[in-house]
Amino acid sequence: FPRGEYWVHVRCWHLDDSCWDYFGGNTRMRDTAKKITYYGLLFAVCAAFLYALSALVGKKITDDFSSPMVASAFSILFGLVATGSVFFGTVSKEARYLSGRSWVLIGLSGCASALGVSGWYLALNVTQVVVVAPIVAVYPLITILAASLFLRGIEKVTKQTVAGAIIVVIGVLFVGFGT
């Protein structure tokens, strides 16, 4: 594994350097890579459940309690507090070593996330959650396209990845528009 931003994230798991013997046939490296892949899949499934919960709660909030923009602002604020409290130690250590370009990309990512959350709550305010969620779920296709354009050499986009994403999105759209 190359040492780069991915290395920084892996170090957050407090893995020792000896398991990263690049091409020496180190068994611990392969076991660690499998463990990281497992954690990645586990976190992805957890994220899916949490986003589903967020959709349901967001619909209730925008229908019964507040405007979409208030809900959006406070959800982002509470998200910042929650993630900041959990990851403060890691963030405070790593933030010191980030380059100016990294801060620009982090800022762009934050703005995109904030605008996405705002769009999410605006959509939930005027449309059924069973319609909004599948439409928003089309983002993997956009992600795969962007990864193939901007992350060449870092992320490998295979035909199977594209086909799987298309099948999943078509299925989700059928569910959403079938209601």
Side-chain angles (χ1 to χ4, degrees):
F1 293 98
R3 293 183 188 260
E5 288 188 41
Y6 183 70
W7 174 254
V8 171
H9 295 295
V10 171
R11 290 201 42 113
C12 294
W13 290 99
H14 304 294
L15 300 171
D16 61 6
D17 291 340
S18 64
C19 63
W20 293 101
D21 181 19
Y22 287 111
F23 299 106
N26 190 335
T27 318
R28 288 185 63 203
M29 180 187 76
R30 283 190 296 272
D31 292 343
T32 302
K34 287 179 184 176
K35 189 176 188 179
I36 291 169
T37 300
Y38 169 77
Y39 281 129
L41 294 173
L42 179 66
F43 289 145
V45 170
C46 289
F49 282 110
L50 293 171
Y51 272 117
L53 179 63
S54 172
L56 298 173
V57 172
K59 180 63 177 171
K60 183 70 174 166
I61 291 168
T62 59
D63 282 353
D64 298 342
F65 300 111
S66 73
S67 72
M69 297 318 291
V70 169
S72 174
F74 278 101
S75 72
I76 292 169
L77 174 66
F78 291 134
L80 174 66
V81 170
T83 56
S85 63
V86 171
F87 299 110
F88 179 74
T90 301
V91 171
S92 63
K93 289 177 188 172
E94 289 183 23
R96 290 181 240 158
Y97 303 108
L98 292 175
S99 66
R101 182 170 187 256
S102 295
W103 282 111
V104 168
L105 292 174
I106 290 169
L108 289 172
S109 176
C111 289
S113 295
L115 292 172
V117 168
S118 298
W120 173 258
Y121 280 106
L122 286 167
L124 287 174
N125 189 46
V126 295
T127 309
Q128 296 177 358
V129 69
V130 294
V131 174
V132 173
I135 292 172
V136 172
V138 173
Y139 86 88
L141 292 179
I142 299 165
T143 303
I144 290 170
L145 176 65
S148 68
L149 295 174
F150 300 113
L151 298 178
R152 292 179 191 202
I154 298 173
E155 295 279 336
K156 185 176 180 181
V157 179
T158 65
K159 291 178 184 176
Q160 292 86 354
T161 302
V162 173
I166 290 170
I167 290 168
V168 167
V169 169
I170 289 172
V172 168
L173 290 174
F174 274 120
V175 169
F177 290 123
T179 54

